[in-house]
């Protein structure tokens, strides 16, 4: 009854929109704050509701094949392994055919934390997710509050102006929708694992290099339009082959 009332009214209780943020160590020095991933510990009751919405949204996305096949993260029958196998198969075939391949590895800076809510809602509607479900998600994202928690010590509560909560049930699928069309206007090959993106293409001439460069500019423009930012330090270029001309 509580869940039904929340959905019908499009109202999400304040407790469901509050989160304790705890740091999860990734790698490197434990003395560097940037080496920790902030994970939101949210209401367990809200996660039950979120899991119902997630299953329905995923069913809708799969039924109409809305999520591009370039995305291998948080999807059934897709994984990091499938991403790597597709990449290996394509690049190996090109190298065997005496081509050169350039691969650009892209990474968004604090991807989940930078998702603007209003733009996300626009993306949801464009993907056919509207009505009471969209209204509920908009309420769930609005007026969120969080505080940092470490070793039993809590900071003061602060308002959240953007982001899909890491550690939530709905967060991953919402993020996939948000970046789904980043490769919609590209001629190069693209593979994504959540926000980690590979753009690669055969580069046998200067014209080929210009084409790949143009795709990078299109991705940059798309990121700026949707208020996302690349982590330049983690963006790399890898050349496969013997006669790569490189990018200017």
């Amino acid at each position: 009854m509580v869940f039904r009332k929340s959905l019908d009214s499009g109202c999400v209780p304040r407790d469901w929109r509050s989160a304790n943020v705890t740091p999860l160590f990734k790698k490197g020095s434990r003395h560097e704050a940037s080496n920790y991933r902030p994970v939101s510990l949210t209401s367990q009751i809200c996660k039950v509701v979120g899991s119902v919405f997630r299953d329905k949204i995923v069913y809708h996305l799969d039924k109409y094949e809305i999520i591009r096949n370039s995305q291998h993260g948080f999807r059934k029958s897709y994984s990091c392994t499938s991403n790597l196998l597709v990449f290996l198969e394509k690049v190996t075939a090109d190298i065997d055919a005496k081509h050169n391949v350039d691969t650009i590895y892209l990474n968004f800076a604090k991807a989940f934390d930078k998702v603007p809510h209003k733009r996300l809602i626009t993306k949801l509607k464009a993907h056919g997710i509207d009505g009471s479900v969209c209204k509920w998600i908009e309420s769930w994202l609005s007026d969120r509050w969080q505080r940092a928690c470490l070793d039993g010590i809590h900071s003061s509560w602060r308002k959240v102006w953007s982001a899909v909560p890491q550690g939530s049930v709905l967060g991953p699928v919402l993020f996939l929708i948000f970046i789904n069309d980043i490769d919609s206007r590209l001629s190069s090959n693209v593979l994504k694992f959540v926000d980690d993106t590979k753009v690669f293409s055969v580069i046998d001439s200067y014209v080929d290099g210009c084409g790949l460069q143009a795709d990078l500019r299109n991705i940059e423009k798309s990121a700026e339009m949707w208020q996302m930012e690349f982590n330049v330090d983690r963006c790399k270029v890898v050349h496969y082959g013997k006669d790569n001309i490189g990018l200017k």
Side-chain angles (χ1 to χ4, degrees), residues 140-157:
W140 178 68
L141 291 171
S142 302
D143 195 28
R144 294 191 66 86
W145 293 79
Q146 66 181 23
R147 62 180 179 177
C149 301
L150 182 63
D151 295 333
I153 300 176
H154 306 87
S155 70
S156 58
W157 289 99

Side-chain angles (χ1 to χ4, degrees), residues 84-134:
L84 292 173
L85 287 175
V86 172
F87 177 71
L88 179 63
E89 181 70 19
K90 175 61 178 172
V91 172
T92 301
D94 289 334
I95 296 299
D96 288 344
K98 308 302 181 182
H99 294 300
N100 303 297
V101 179
D102 281 0
T103 303
I104 317 298
Y105 291 84
L106 304 173
N107 184 270
F108 286 105
K110 301 185 181 301
F112 276 61
D113 298 331
K114 288 183 174 293
V115 175
H117 294 160
K118 290 185 178 180
R119 283 172 168 76
L120 173 58
I121 296 301
T122 299
K123 287 284 186 80
L124 289 177
K125 293 179 179 179
H127 284 70
I129 302 168
D130 207 340
S132 58
V133 172
C134 185

Side-chain angles (χ1 to χ4, degrees), residues 196-211:
D196 292 322
T197 304
K198 292 190 287 284
V199 182
F200 57 103
S201 180
V202 168
I203 306 295
D204 288 335
S205 68
Y206 177 77
V207 174
D208 293 336
C210 290

Side-chain angles (χ1 to χ4, degrees), residues 170-188:
L170 274 175
V173 69
L174 294 181
F175 186 77
L176 295 191
I177 292 172
F178 187 72
I179 67 167
N180 185 41
D181 59 355
I182 191 174
D183 52 330
S184 61
R185 296 181 297 169
L186 307 185
S187 59
S188 302

Side-chain angles (χ1 to χ4, degrees), residues 104 106 108 123 179-190 197 199 208-230 247:
I104 317 298
L106 304 173
F108 286 105
K123 287 284 186 80
I179 67 167
N180 185 41
D181 59 355
I182 191 174
D183 52 330
S184 61
R185 296 181 297 169
L186 307 185
S187 59
S188 302
N189 300 291
V190 178
T197 304
V199 182
D208 293 336
C210 290
L212 181 54
Q213 185 65 65
D215 284 341
L216 291 177
R217 291 197 179 98
N218 285 333
I219 291 179
E220 182 183 24
K221 290 178 182 178
S222 178
E224 290 177 354
M225 179 188 302
W226 296 100
Q227 296 185 350
M228 299 295 285
E229 182 180 350
F230 286 107
L247 294 177

